[in-house]
């Protein structure tokens, strides 16, 4: 059952446009919620309803991103199979936390993490090392994935930036390959959270329709942009956008 105010035609158009922008930015930089969540608030949804509705609509972002990222996903099957259970578990835990803990639980730590991730995206990548140290690094990477997926299931604003920074510094072949992997992992975390919200939370289903449609369109185009754009300038743009968002979130959390 839909929760919240009824939607008129202007609201639906607003959400469709926000979905396209969110899908495009989300599939490129992991910043979908920066466009979609405020749009849900703008049409009158209360914060919790907007949050869970946003998560459900962003399932279509994952679908479009995976569809558009198929060339970069070739050869990444083993890594995705290994990482999928970790991100699914993290997304589920994050969704449960959202429904059972105060809404500001991550407020103060997320701006710091986001700022570090934004810098890491622009910084030179490290070279993977073989042997025992490499195994330790893999465990650390899986733990980081769980934490990012948990945050993604809880709220998710800029969770994709955190994933992108992790994958780039874990030795991804290129920005396009890291972005494709990010889209799949973030999509998995988001989907499992969305399933829980669909059963347990006040999803506004009428808002999901235009927002999800827009996300599908925008996210299908995003991987094409990443594939064709120069990698270094695009990394700088993503890092700069992440830093701007980190400053805003930090201001909101600490003021």
């Amino acid at each position: 059952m839909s929760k919240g105010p009824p939607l008129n035609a202007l609201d639906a158009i607003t959400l469709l446009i926000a979905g396209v922008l969110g899908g495009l930015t989300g599939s490129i930089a992991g910043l979908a919620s920066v466009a979609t969540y405020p749009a849900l608030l703008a049409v009158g949804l209360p914060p919790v309803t907007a949050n869970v509705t946003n998560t459900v609509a962003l399932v279509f972002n994952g679908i479009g991103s995976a569809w558009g990222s198929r060339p970069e996903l070739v050869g990444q099957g083993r890594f995705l199979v290994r990482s999928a259970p970790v991100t699914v578990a993290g997304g589920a835990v994050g969704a449960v936390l959202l429904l059972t803990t105060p809404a500001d639980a991550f407020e103060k730590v997320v701006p710091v993490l986001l700022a570090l991730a934004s810098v890491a995206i622009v910084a030179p990548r490290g070279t993977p090392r073989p042997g025992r140290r490499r195994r330790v690094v893999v465990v650390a990477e899986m733990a980081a994935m769980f934490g990012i997926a948990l945050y993604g299931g809880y709220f998710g604003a800029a969770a994709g930036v955190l994933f992108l920074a992790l994958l780039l510094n874990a030795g991804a072949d290129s920005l396009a390959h890291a972005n494709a992997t990010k889209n799949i992992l973030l999509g998995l975390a988001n989907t499992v959270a969305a399933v829980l919200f669909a059963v347990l939370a006040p999803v506004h289903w009428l808002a999901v329709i235009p927002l999800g449609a827009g996300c599908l369109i925008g996210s299908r185009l995003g991987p094409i942009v990443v594939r064709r754009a120069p990698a270094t300038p695009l990394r700088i743009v993503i890092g700069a956008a992440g830093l701007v968002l980190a400053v805003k979130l930090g201001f909101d959390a600490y003021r």
Side-chain angles (χ1 to χ4, degrees), residues 16 36 39 42 67 85 97 105 108 132 142 193 195 209 213 215:
L16 178 65
T36 55
W67 182 13
L97 285 176
K108 289 182 168 52
R132 183 171 301 176
M142 292 297 111
V195 170
I209 296 172
C215 284

Side-chain angles (χ1 to χ4, degrees), residues 149-168:
L150 186 153
Y151 169 63
Y154 184 89
F155 180 60
V161 175
L162 301 176
F163 261 128
L164 195 56
L166 175 65
L167 293 167
L168 283 171

Side-chain angles (χ1 to χ4, degrees), residues 137-224:
V137 171
V138 168
V139 172
E141 288 170 358
M142 292 297 111
M145 282 185 188
F146 178 85
I148 297 170
L150 186 153
Y151 169 63
Y154 184 89
F155 180 60
V161 175
L162 301 176
F163 261 128
L164 195 56
L166 175 65
L167 293 167
L168 283 171
N169 287 276
D173 290 339
S174 67
L175 176 61
H177 285 83
N179 189 64
T181 306
K182 175 265 294 180
N183 288 336
I184 296 297
L185 297 179
L186 189 59
L188 288 172
N190 194 78
T191 298
V192 69
V195 170
L196 292 174
F197 291 157
V199 176
L200 302 173
V203 177
H204 195 302
W205 290 103
L206 290 179
V208 169
I209 296 172
L211 189 63
C215 284
L216 183 63
I217 295 169
S219 62
R220 176 62 181 86
L221 300 175
I224 299 174

